[in-house]
Amino acid sequence: MSVTAAKGFTAAGIAAGIKENGNPDLALVVNTGPRRAAAGVFTSNRVKAAPVLWSEQVLKSGQVSAVVLNSGGANACTGPKGFQDAHATAEKVAEVLGRGAIEVAVCSTGLIGVLLPMDKLLPGVEKAAESLGEHGGEKAAIAIKTTDTVHKTSVVTKDGWTVGGMAKGAGMLAPGLATMLVVLTTDADLDSDALDKALRAATRTTFDRVDSDGCMSTNDTVLLLASGSAGVTPEYEEFAEAVRQVCDDLGQQLIRDAEGASKDIKVEVINAATEDDAVEVGRSIARNNLLKCAIHGEDPNWGRVLSAIGTTSAAFEPDRLNVAINGVWVCKNGGVGEDRDKVDMRFREVHIVADLAAGAETATIWTNDLTADYVHENSAYSS
Amino acid sequence: MSVTAAKGFTAAGIAAGIKENGNPDLALVVNTGPRRAAAGVFTSNRVKAAPVLWSEQVLKSGQVSAVVLNSGGANACTGPKGFQDAHATAEKVAEVLGRGAIEVAVCSTGLIGVLLPMDKLLPGVEKAAESLGEHGGEKAAIAIKTTDTVHKTSVVTKDGWTVGGMAKGAGMLAPGLATMLVVLTTDADLDSDALDKALRAATRTTFDRVDSDGCMSTNDTVLLLASGSAGVTPEYEEFAEAVRQVCDDLGQQLIRDAEGASKDIKVEVINAATEDDAVEVGRSIARNNLLKCAIHGEDPNWGRVLSAIGTTSAAFEPDRLNVAINGVWVCKNGGVGEDRDKVDMRFREVHIVADLAAGAETATIWTNDLTADYVHENSAYSS
């Protein structure tokens, strides 16, 4: 159902020939409703891809008519020509749809440092426009995949209105947004300020807390488009919760498809003095390569959890720290706790609880293990 | 030559039975000279092993008579009993040598969260004391190995005085000291303030800039002991440079023996606004798992260098960044530079230069690639 679950949107996904293997690589999402309000959240990486720089400008107006997305090339670190290409792509979409280019957001994903084959991309835009349909969401979700093994979509339907979306991302997943492109749509009628507020609140506790490999992308983009086609303006809180649910679901799908992963790891930090402390500690644990290898080996190596906590500036006393792995408190008061042999590590999901014993705040970061498959996939990616 | 290259020191390395495989696991270094001045630098991890907490107290007096080191167990996260064990070890050394326990530094390395087998360690101290000799430095260096494939020693000899040392460390190598134990000795006659100044200056630009896997240990310790046996007090600058050279040499040996590594990577950041900026950028590049995988695959993936730079707070403009890999400027002005196919990646050493074009400061961080062997070694370590 994806981005066409909400009324007032059409979508398409086609093969433009950007990917050498002939797989779908170009998606188009068009708002056909009475409203064109939109919000966007972008990578906080200071090296931003050309489409991000372009789309940030587009979102300033709070209006988006269409989103064009390509896989097979990130159009990042491509200089002035790369920006011209992003602009030309938006112009082409505007031309075929009869809209203004400044209302066309552009997203790209793939290898950094390579110019897009515009001779294939621009004809692809025409082909995509011809394929647009009210059931095109699934095909659009498929066309934005890179190393993703599955496409990711999610839908929440409420009384008379819907929030739906699609996401891609499998590697370079990190804070300040996983490396990913996400397009969310709704037929609810809200202005761009409400969309922006709901989107930022949702990403802060969902995508921002998915940390596969600590590597922040140059291209991360999350867009939320509202068509108003349902003719309903929901209560803000109810709407924000629906957006959060879709983001949470898509975030979980991203982590489950992380490159080479064999374990999904939920790092829950409890009893922190502040939420920031909880997030800092959770991220430090989630990024510890030694721990990620240990989890891969089904080894409940809590010492690596403590050594990761010890590198943070969070409030805690080393001799009051407690750690549970899959429900067994293997570390108590900074030392040896229950028998580590009691920890059952056979299943894909691993749950680590780090108790800082310093307050009442909590945060959960999702990550995955570090595997030889991750190394293989990322050492061969551009070759 | 190791820690006994300088006059006024004896050392020993023996098998006490701490390691189940029967390999050497206990080292003793004794200052037999007229002076006992010493300095120490310890992990900045807030979760500190018991021997670190003990040795920090010892170093407050600026006097060290002996250092006892064990491999096969880190004595970290072991609670009050772990501290008692570190203390008891120092007492035992003091007893057999006829020195004060408060002048005996203790170092441990191995698995976190396991108590040391004191019934083996204490008799081992007696055995080590019986084996002490003026040529024992090599055996001591061997006895402190864990996953190290080779032992590491270094010596610099000047006019009438010497600085020598040994190091261990292969994984969990990171900032604020690689996971490592290092003991340096000199027969020069200097007070503890001069030793401290020289040691801190040396570690700041050597061990602190070796970053294998971003994981900071609970046990890192670098000690510098001066016997005064040469009867010479060198110029401070000359002495400090000799200490720096030994630290640099040992740091290089650590990175060359990093777990599973197939490439040694020199990350040189140039034209930074400040040295702190240069170090921050260098570390960010050195810790980027995606880049480390790419280098393993002999792929000059400069886009991953730029995306790592972009996550820092250093002063730079994205469109003025330049990156060279093995002498080829593959990225110029934030975009595509020379042909990446010109980059020869066949050799073990890889040299990355990141030009921030923002000033005149520089820093070099050493790291290594991320390999399936690293994953294997660290997923099986405690099992």
Side-chain angles (χ1 to χ4, degrees), chain A residues 100-116:
Chain A
I102 195 57
E103 290 191 4
V104 178
V106 181
C107 303
S108 299
T109 178
L111 190 61
I112 297 175
V114 180
L115 287 167
L116 291 173

Side-chain angles (χ1 to χ4, degrees), chain A residues 102-329:
Chain A
I102 195 57
E103 290 191 4
V104 178
V106 181
C107 303
S108 299
T109 178
L111 190 61
I112 297 175
V114 180
L115 287 167
L116 291 173
M118 296 303 286
D119 59 328
K120 292 173 179 165
L121 200 154
L122 296 182
V125 168
E126 293 186 8
K127 184 175 168 189
E130 290 163 8
S131 310
L132 283 168
E134 291 180 0
H135 303 289
E138 208 77 15
K139 285 189 175 167
I142 291 167
I144 58 176
K145 286 168 58 185
T146 53
T147 56
D148 307 68
T149 64
V150 294
H151 63 285
K152 291 105 178 171
T153 66
S154 182
V155 175
V156 169
T157 299
K158 294 288 185 176
D159 284 353
W161 57 277
T162 293
V163 178
M166 63 180 185
K168 69 79 48 180
M172 220 191 229
L173 285 172
L177 301 188
T179 287
M180 56 185 191
L181 305 180
V182 179
V183 180
L184 308 176
T185 58
T186 182
D187 44 20
D189 190 2
L190 292 109
D191 64 22
S192 60
D193 287 346
L195 296 177
D196 188 70
K197 187 178 168 190
L199 186 62
R200 284 181 195 282
T203 55
R204 193 180 74 84
T205 60
T206 57
F207 297 123
D208 275 355
R209 294 187 185 173
V210 168
D211 195 332
S212 168
D213 61 6
C215 297
M216 193 195 299
S217 160
T218 51
N219 287 56
D220 296 328
T221 302
V222 183
L223 300 173
L224 171 57
L225 279 59
S227 68
S229 292
V232 177
T233 301
E235 289 295 314
Y236 171 77
E237 293 301 336
E238 190 184 7
F239 176 73
E241 174 58 17
V243 173
R244 194 200 64 76
Q245 283 177 26
V246 173
C247 289
D248 191 45
D249 184 18
L250 290 172
Q252 294 292 316
Q253 292 181 52
L254 291 176
I255 206 78
R256 283 199 295 273
D257 196 29
E259 286 170 352
S262 71
K263 301 283 187 189
D264 303 330
I265 309 172
K266 179 183 184 181
V267 180
E268 188 180 359
V269 180
I270 63 172
N271 298 324
T274 65
E275 187 180 354
D276 283 351
D277 275 7
V279 171
E280 183 191 358
V281 167
R283 249 189 226 309
S284 178
I285 295 169
R287 290 183 178 178
N288 189 282
N289 278 354
L290 285 171
L291 176 66
K292 289 155 78 89
C293 289
I295 299 297
H296 178 53
E298 304 196 338
D299 166 15
N301 195 321
W302 59 268
R304 293 175 181 176
V305 177
L306 256 68
S307 69
I309 297 173
T311 63
T312 71
S313 61
F316 71 83
E317 293 300 323
D319 58 3
R320 294 194 62 199
L321 294 171
N322 306 297
V323 175
I325 301 180
N326 286 352
V328 180
W329 288 94

Side-chain angles (χ1 to χ4, degrees), chain A residues 45-46 293 299 307 310 314 379 382, chain B residues 45-46 293 299 307 310 314 379 382:
Chain A
N45 197 310
R46 292 168 60 201
C293 289
D299 166 15
S307 69
S379 59
S382 84
Chain B
N45 197 309
R46 292 168 60 203
C293 288
D299 167 15
S307 68
S379 59
S382 85

Side-chain angles (χ1 to χ4, degrees), chain A residues 45-47 77 113 172 289-290 293 297 299 302 304 306-307 310 312 314 316 318 334-336 370 374-375 378-379 381-382, chain B residues 45-47 77 112-113 172 289-290 293 297 299 302-304 306-307 310 312 314 316 318 334-336 370 374-375 378-379 382:
Chain A
N45 197 310
R46 292 168 60 201
V47 175
C77 305
M172 220 191 229
N289 278 354
L290 285 171
C293 289
D299 166 15
W302 59 268
R304 293 175 181 176
L306 256 68
S307 69
T312 71
F316 71 83
V336 183
L370 180 57
Y374 175 91
V375 173
N378 287 297
S379 59
Y381 183 70
S382 84
Chain B
N45 197 309
R46 292 168 60 203
V47 176
C77 305
I112 296 175
M172 219 193 229
N289 278 353
L290 286 171
C293 288
D299 167 15
W302 58 268
R304 294 176 180 176
L306 256 67
S307 68
T312 70
F316 70 84
V336 182
L370 180 58
Y374 174 90
V375 173
N378 287 297
S379 59
S382 85

Side-chain angles (χ1 to χ4, degrees), chain B residues 351-372:
Chain B
H351 186 191
I352 298 174
V353 180
D355 173 8
L356 301 189
E361 297 298 320
T362 185
T364 297
I365 304 284
W366 283 89
T367 188
N368 47 261
D369 57 344
L370 180 58
T371 70

